Amino acid sequence: TAVVPMAAWHWLPCLGGRSMRPILERIDHTVRHLAAAEGDPAAVPGFEYSWQDCLTDFVHTPGGIWEVGGSAEVQEYPIVEPRGHFPEAGAARGRVALIGHSAGGWISRVYLSKRRYG
């Protein structure tokens, strides 16, 4: 069992209906490393994310700080590249069962969806 490695303050750029892309990036990081390590949670490396990265993600949300997404349609959101450094994972050698609770649950469903999410 592994938990997505993130502090509570990593949610700040997502407040007020902003893009969930920063959280999706952390889920993807964890899933890819677990699959590459055949499920070994000790093999999931940390990532670099500072308060400055957090502030930049919060301010530079699609549509600006007051007009989240720039559109009412998620499919029209521009691609967002969250700040921070996430180490690359090797090729997948195993499968991962993804379990999420509350907001983590619906964001995990977005992650598993085939629809593009900026």
Side-chain angles (χ1 to χ4, degrees), residues 40-78:
D40 179 9
V44 178
F47 51 84
E48 298 170 17
Y49 190 71
S50 69
W51 278 99
Q52 292 84 4
D53 292 329
C54 181
L55 180 61
T56 302
D57 280 343
F58 183 81
V59 173
H60 295 288
T61 190
I65 194 166
W66 301 115
E67 190 176 330
V68 178
S71 171
E73 300 297 322
V74 173
Q75 295 81 4
E76 295 176 11
Y77 281 15

Side-chain angles (χ1 to χ4, degrees), residues 77-111:
Y77 281 15
I79 298 297
V80 175
E81 286 298 328
R83 306 309 187 272
H85 173 71
F86 298 85
E88 292 289 325
R93 296 186 303 178
R95 296 173 63 173
V96 174
L98 187 58
I99 301 169
H101 174 268
S102 192
W106 71 260
I107 296 169
S108 294
R109 287 192 295 277
V110 170
Y111 176 74

Side-chain angles (χ1 to χ4, degrees), residues 2-5 25-35 44 96:
V3 176
V4 174
E25 195 75 22
R26 286 147 180 77
I27 293 170
D28 185 61
H29 167 82
T30 305
V31 166
R32 288 183 186 276
H33 283 282
L34 279 172
V44 178
V96 174

